Short mmCIF file of all heavy atoms in Angstrom, two decimals:
data_model
loop_
_atom_site.label_atom_id
_atom_site.label_comp_id
_atom_site.label_asym_id
_atom_site.label_seq_id
_atom_site.Cartn_x
_atom_site.Cartn_y
_atom_site.Cartn_z
N ASN F 529 -6.20 7.68 -10.59
CA ASN F 529 -7.66 7.78 -10.45
C ASN F 529 -8.09 7.92 -9.00
O ASN F 529 -9.04 8.65 -8.69
CB ASN F 529 -8.32 6.55 -11.07
CG ASN F 529 -8.19 6.52 -12.58
OD1 ASN F 529 -7.97 7.55 -13.22
ND2 ASN F 529 -8.32 5.35 -13.18
N THR F 530 -7.39 7.24 -8.09
CA THR F 530 -7.76 7.36 -6.68
C THR F 530 -7.38 8.75 -6.14
O THR F 530 -8.12 9.33 -5.34
CB THR F 530 -7.11 6.27 -5.82
OG1 THR F 530 -5.69 6.26 -6.04
CG2 THR F 530 -7.66 4.90 -6.15
N ILE F 531 -6.25 9.27 -6.57
CA ILE F 531 -5.88 10.64 -6.18
C ILE F 531 -6.94 11.62 -6.66
O ILE F 531 -7.39 12.52 -5.92
CB ILE F 531 -4.50 11.01 -6.73
CG1 ILE F 531 -3.41 10.15 -6.09
CG2 ILE F 531 -4.20 12.49 -6.50
CD1 ILE F 531 -2.03 10.34 -6.71
N THR F 532 -7.35 11.44 -7.91
CA THR F 532 -8.37 12.33 -8.49
C THR F 532 -9.68 12.23 -7.72
O THR F 532 -10.32 13.25 -7.42
CB THR F 532 -8.60 11.97 -9.96
OG1 THR F 532 -7.35 12.01 -10.67
CG2 THR F 532 -9.58 12.94 -10.61
N ASP F 533 -10.09 11.01 -7.37
CA ASP F 533 -11.34 10.83 -6.64
C ASP F 533 -11.27 11.51 -5.27
O ASP F 533 -12.25 12.12 -4.82
CB ASP F 533 -11.63 9.34 -6.46
CG ASP F 533 -13.00 9.09 -5.83
OD1 ASP F 533 -14.01 9.25 -6.55
OD2 ASP F 533 -13.06 8.76 -4.63
N ALA F 534 -10.11 11.41 -4.63
CA ALA F 534 -9.95 12.05 -3.32
C ALA F 534 -10.05 13.56 -3.41
O ALA F 534 -10.42 14.23 -2.44
CB ALA F 534 -8.60 11.65 -2.71
N LEU F 535 -9.78 14.12 -4.61
CA LEU F 535 -9.82 15.57 -4.79
C LEU F 535 -11.18 16.08 -5.26
O LEU F 535 -11.55 17.21 -4.96
CB LEU F 535 -8.74 16.00 -5.79
CG LEU F 535 -7.29 15.87 -5.33
CD1 LEU F 535 -6.35 16.08 -6.50
CD2 LEU F 535 -6.98 16.86 -4.22
N VAL F 536 -11.91 15.25 -6.02
CA VAL F 536 -13.15 15.75 -6.64
C VAL F 536 -14.41 15.13 -6.08
O VAL F 536 -15.52 15.62 -6.35
CB VAL F 536 -13.12 15.55 -8.17
CG1 VAL F 536 -11.91 16.23 -8.79
CG2 VAL F 536 -13.16 14.07 -8.54
N SER F 537 -14.31 14.05 -5.32
CA SER F 537 -15.50 13.42 -4.78
C SER F 537 -16.11 14.28 -3.67
O SER F 537 -15.39 14.77 -2.81
CB SER F 537 -15.18 12.02 -4.23
OG SER F 537 -16.30 11.48 -3.56
N PRO F 538 -17.43 14.45 -3.66
CA PRO F 538 -18.06 15.20 -2.56
C PRO F 538 -17.80 14.56 -1.20
O PRO F 538 -17.71 15.24 -0.20
CB PRO F 538 -19.55 15.16 -2.92
CG PRO F 538 -19.58 14.96 -4.40
CD PRO F 538 -18.40 14.09 -4.71
N GLN F 539 -17.70 13.21 -1.20
CA GLN F 539 -17.40 12.49 0.03
C GLN F 539 -16.23 11.53 -0.21
O GLN F 539 -16.44 10.34 -0.44
CB GLN F 539 -18.64 11.71 0.51
CG GLN F 539 -19.81 12.57 0.95
CD GLN F 539 -19.45 13.44 2.15
OE1 GLN F 539 -18.67 13.02 3.01
NE2 GLN F 539 -20.03 14.64 2.21
N PRO F 540 -15.00 12.02 -0.20
CA PRO F 540 -13.86 11.14 -0.48
C PRO F 540 -13.66 10.11 0.63
O PRO F 540 -14.05 10.33 1.78
CB PRO F 540 -12.68 12.12 -0.53
CG PRO F 540 -13.11 13.26 0.33
CD PRO F 540 -14.60 13.39 0.14
N LYS F 541 -13.05 9.00 0.27
CA LYS F 541 -12.78 7.95 1.25
C LYS F 541 -11.58 8.35 2.11
O LYS F 541 -10.71 9.10 1.69
CB LYS F 541 -12.49 6.63 0.54
CG LYS F 541 -13.65 6.13 -0.30
CD LYS F 541 -13.22 4.91 -1.11
CE LYS F 541 -14.33 4.46 -2.04
NZ LYS F 541 -13.90 3.33 -2.92
N VAL F 542 -11.57 7.81 3.29
CA VAL F 542 -10.43 8.03 4.19
C VAL F 542 -9.23 7.23 3.71
O VAL F 542 -8.09 7.70 3.75
CB VAL F 542 -10.80 7.63 5.63
CG1 VAL F 542 -9.56 7.66 6.53
CG2 VAL F 542 -11.86 8.56 6.18
N ARG F 543 -9.48 6.02 3.20
CA ARG F 543 -8.41 5.13 2.74
C ARG F 543 -8.76 4.61 1.35
O ARG F 543 -9.88 4.19 1.09
CB ARG F 543 -8.25 3.94 3.69
CG ARG F 543 -7.81 4.32 5.09
CD ARG F 543 -8.03 3.18 6.07
NE ARG F 543 -7.13 2.06 5.79
CZ ARG F 543 -5.92 1.92 6.32
NH1 ARG F 543 -5.47 2.82 7.17
NH2 ARG F 543 -5.17 0.88 6.04
N TYR F 544 -7.76 4.65 0.46
CA TYR F 544 -7.91 4.09 -0.88
C TYR F 544 -6.87 2.99 -1.07
O TYR F 544 -5.71 3.16 -0.67
CB TYR F 544 -7.70 5.16 -1.95
CG TYR F 544 -8.78 6.20 -2.07
CD1 TYR F 544 -8.77 7.35 -1.28
CD2 TYR F 544 -9.82 6.05 -2.99
CE1 TYR F 544 -9.75 8.32 -1.41
CE2 TYR F 544 -10.81 7.01 -3.12
CZ TYR F 544 -10.77 8.14 -2.33
OH TYR F 544 -11.75 9.10 -2.46
N TYR F 545 -7.30 1.89 -1.70
CA TYR F 545 -6.38 0.80 -2.02
C TYR F 545 -6.28 0.69 -3.54
O TYR F 545 -7.29 0.42 -4.20
CB TYR F 545 -6.85 -0.52 -1.41
CG TYR F 545 -6.98 -0.44 0.09
CD1 TYR F 545 -8.21 -0.24 0.69
CD2 TYR F 545 -5.86 -0.53 0.91
CE1 TYR F 545 -8.34 -0.14 2.07
CE2 TYR F 545 -5.97 -0.43 2.29
CZ TYR F 545 -7.22 -0.24 2.86
OH TYR F 545 -7.32 -0.14 4.23
N SER F 546 -5.09 0.92 -4.09
CA SER F 546 -4.92 1.01 -5.54
C SER F 546 -3.97 -0.06 -6.04
O SER F 546 -2.86 -0.19 -5.54
CB SER F 546 -4.37 2.39 -5.92
OG SER F 546 -5.21 3.41 -5.45
N GLY F 547 -4.42 -0.78 -7.05
CA GLY F 547 -3.54 -1.74 -7.68
C GLY F 547 -3.95 -3.18 -7.40
O GLY F 547 -4.71 -3.46 -6.48
N PRO F 548 -3.45 -4.11 -8.21
CA PRO F 548 -3.84 -5.52 -8.09
C PRO F 548 -3.39 -6.15 -6.78
O PRO F 548 -2.25 -6.01 -6.36
CB PRO F 548 -3.14 -6.18 -9.29
CG PRO F 548 -2.00 -5.26 -9.62
CD PRO F 548 -2.48 -3.89 -9.30
N GLY F 549 -4.33 -6.83 -6.12
CA GLY F 549 -4.00 -7.64 -4.95
C GLY F 549 -3.97 -6.92 -3.63
O GLY F 549 -3.99 -7.57 -2.58
N VAL F 550 -3.95 -5.58 -3.63
CA VAL F 550 -3.76 -4.89 -2.36
C VAL F 550 -5.01 -4.99 -1.46
O VAL F 550 -4.90 -5.11 -0.24
CB VAL F 550 -3.36 -3.41 -2.60
CG1 VAL F 550 -4.49 -2.60 -3.19
CG2 VAL F 550 -2.87 -2.76 -1.32
N GLY F 551 -6.21 -4.99 -2.07
CA GLY F 551 -7.43 -5.15 -1.28
C GLY F 551 -7.50 -6.51 -0.63
O GLY F 551 -7.84 -6.64 0.55
N LEU F 552 -7.15 -7.56 -1.40
CA LEU F 552 -7.15 -8.92 -0.87
C LEU F 552 -6.10 -9.06 0.24
O LEU F 552 -6.35 -9.71 1.26
CB LEU F 552 -6.85 -9.91 -2.00
CG LEU F 552 -6.70 -11.38 -1.60
CD1 LEU F 552 -7.99 -11.90 -0.99
CD2 LEU F 552 -6.29 -12.22 -2.81
N MET F 553 -4.94 -8.45 0.04
CA MET F 553 -3.88 -8.51 1.04
C MET F 553 -4.34 -7.91 2.37
O MET F 553 -4.11 -8.48 3.44
CB MET F 553 -2.65 -7.76 0.52
CG MET F 553 -1.47 -7.75 1.48
SD MET F 553 -0.07 -6.86 0.78
CE MET F 553 -0.74 -5.22 0.63
N TYR F 554 -5.02 -6.77 2.31
CA TYR F 554 -5.51 -6.14 3.54
C TYR F 554 -6.61 -6.97 4.18
O TYR F 554 -6.71 -7.03 5.41
CB TYR F 554 -6.01 -4.72 3.25
CG TYR F 554 -4.96 -3.68 3.49
CD1 TYR F 554 -4.13 -3.23 2.45
CD2 TYR F 554 -4.76 -3.14 4.75
CE1 TYR F 554 -3.16 -2.28 2.68
CE2 TYR F 554 -3.78 -2.19 4.99
CZ TYR F 554 -2.99 -1.77 3.96
OH TYR F 554 -2.01 -0.83 4.18
N PHE F 555 -7.44 -7.60 3.37
CA PHE F 555 -8.50 -8.44 3.92
C PHE F 555 -7.90 -9.61 4.69
O PHE F 555 -8.31 -9.92 5.81
CB PHE F 555 -9.39 -8.95 2.78
CG PHE F 555 -10.52 -9.82 3.26
CD1 PHE F 555 -11.65 -9.27 3.84
CD2 PHE F 555 -10.45 -11.19 3.14
CE1 PHE F 555 -12.69 -10.05 4.29
CE2 PHE F 555 -11.48 -12.00 3.58
CZ PHE F 555 -12.61 -11.43 4.16
N ILE F 556 -6.90 -10.27 4.09
CA ILE F 556 -6.24 -11.40 4.75
C ILE F 556 -5.53 -10.93 6.02
O ILE F 556 -5.60 -11.58 7.07
CB ILE F 556 -5.26 -12.08 3.79
CG1 ILE F 556 -6.03 -12.77 2.66
CG2 ILE F 556 -4.37 -13.09 4.51
CD1 ILE F 556 -5.16 -13.37 1.58
N TYR F 557 -4.87 -9.79 5.94
CA TYR F 557 -4.14 -9.27 7.09
C TYR F 557 -5.07 -8.93 8.24
O TYR F 557 -4.73 -9.11 9.42
CB TYR F 557 -3.35 -8.03 6.66
CG TYR F 557 -2.57 -7.36 7.77
CD1 TYR F 557 -1.41 -7.94 8.27
CD2 TYR F 557 -3.00 -6.15 8.30
CE1 TYR F 557 -0.69 -7.32 9.29
CE2 TYR F 557 -2.29 -5.53 9.32
CZ TYR F 557 -1.14 -6.12 9.81
OH TYR F 557 -0.43 -5.52 10.81
N SER F 558 -6.27 -8.44 7.92
CA SER F 558 -7.20 -7.97 8.95
C SER F 558 -8.02 -9.08 9.57
O SER F 558 -8.37 -9.01 10.75
CB SER F 558 -8.15 -6.92 8.36
OG SER F 558 -7.42 -5.81 7.85
N TYR F 559 -8.32 -10.15 8.79
CA TYR F 559 -9.30 -11.12 9.27
C TYR F 559 -8.79 -12.55 9.38
O TYR F 559 -9.50 -13.39 9.92
CB TYR F 559 -10.54 -11.08 8.35
CG TYR F 559 -11.27 -9.78 8.44
CD1 TYR F 559 -11.12 -8.80 7.46
CD2 TYR F 559 -12.08 -9.49 9.53
CE1 TYR F 559 -11.78 -7.59 7.55
CE2 TYR F 559 -12.74 -8.29 9.63
CZ TYR F 559 -12.59 -7.33 8.64
OH TYR F 559 -13.23 -6.13 8.74
N PHE F 560 -7.60 -12.83 8.88
CA PHE F 560 -7.07 -14.19 8.97
C PHE F 560 -6.08 -14.28 10.12
O PHE F 560 -5.54 -13.27 10.58
CB PHE F 560 -6.39 -14.57 7.65
CG PHE F 560 -7.34 -15.01 6.57
CD1 PHE F 560 -8.33 -14.16 6.10
CD2 PHE F 560 -7.25 -16.28 6.02
CE1 PHE F 560 -9.21 -14.55 5.11
CE2 PHE F 560 -8.13 -16.68 5.03
CZ PHE F 560 -9.11 -15.82 4.57
N PRO F 561 -5.81 -15.50 10.61
CA PRO F 561 -4.78 -15.66 11.66
C PRO F 561 -3.45 -15.10 11.20
O PRO F 561 -3.10 -15.14 10.00
CB PRO F 561 -4.71 -17.18 11.84
CG PRO F 561 -6.03 -17.68 11.38
CD PRO F 561 -6.46 -16.77 10.27
N LEU F 562 -2.67 -14.60 12.15
CA LEU F 562 -1.40 -13.95 11.83
C LEU F 562 -0.43 -14.89 11.11
O LEU F 562 0.31 -14.46 10.23
CB LEU F 562 -0.75 -13.43 13.12
CG LEU F 562 0.39 -12.43 12.95
CD1 LEU F 562 -0.07 -11.20 12.19
CD2 LEU F 562 0.96 -12.03 14.30
N SER F 563 -0.46 -16.16 11.47
CA SER F 563 0.45 -17.11 10.82
C SER F 563 0.16 -17.22 9.32
O SER F 563 1.08 -17.25 8.50
CB SER F 563 0.32 -18.49 11.48
OG SER F 563 -1.03 -18.95 11.42
N LEU F 564 -1.13 -17.24 8.95
CA LEU F 564 -1.50 -17.30 7.54
C LEU F 564 -1.19 -15.98 6.84
O LEU F 564 -0.73 -15.97 5.69
CB LEU F 564 -2.98 -17.63 7.40
CG LEU F 564 -3.41 -19.04 7.82
CD1 LEU F 564 -4.91 -19.19 7.67
CD2 LEU F 564 -2.69 -20.09 6.98
#
Side-chain angles (χ1 to χ4, degrees):
N529 291 339
T530 53
I531 294 173
T532 305
D533 187 75
L535 291 169
V536 303
S537 173
Q539 294 297 326
K541 299 173 185 176
V542 172
R543 297 165 68 90
Y544 289 87
Y545 301 99
S546 303
V550 69
L552 175 62
M553 180 180 64
Y554 266 93
F555 181 78
I556 292 175
Y557 179 73
S558 301
Y559 294 101
F560 280 60
L562 194 59
S563 57
L564 292 178

